[in-house]
Amino acid sequence: MSTTIKASCPTCGEVELTPADVSLMVCSTATRSYYAFDCPTCVTEIRKPADDHVVSLLVSGGVPAQVWDLPAEALEAKAGPPLGYDDLLDFALHLGTTDLLASLAAGPAGQPAR
Ligand SMILES: [Zn+2]
């Protein structure tokens, strides 16, 4: 007999899972722990944060906890402003020039390779 785990899908509402359906990822940084499952109805992968309470509920329901470490760089303070739309646009525009750059590199100046 297996335990039924109730979880909720943002699209379908409450769904019932078995322990085998759920991945419990317990992080060395507790606030980054989460559990994941594929919604049995819409097949979307759902990830939700798992606090201590959720972790112990899932573990007692038979879900094995997988421990992972957050890479140290993820906890580093980031200097400077976050990337914005303009940065993305600049990047996209830059990508649009790479064909030209590549042809300049491939052939003599002024005679793009064909
Ligand atoms: Zn769903």
Side-chain angles (χ1 to χ4, degrees), residues 17-82:
L17 306 163
T18 66
D21 297 327
V22 183
S23 303
L24 174 60
M25 307 298 289
V26 176
C27 184
S28 53
T29 303
T31 53
R32 303 298 180 98
S33 297
Y34 66 91
Y35 65 100
F37 60 93
D38 290 331
C39 174
T41 307
C42 68
V43 202
T44 303
E45 191 196 30
I46 317 284
R47 283 189 181 200
K48 298 207 168 182
D51 60 18
D52 288 348
H53 180 66
V54 171
V55 169
S56 57
L57 267 181
L58 290 174
V59 169
S60 68
V63 179
Q66 300 173 63
V67 179
W68 63 288
D69 287 315
L70 195 68
E73 57 267 28
L75 295 176
E76 285 172 1
K78 304 290 191 297

Side-chain angles (χ1 to χ4, degrees), residues 101-114:
L101 291 174
S103 62
L104 287 175
Q111 296 179 13
R114 287 186 188 269

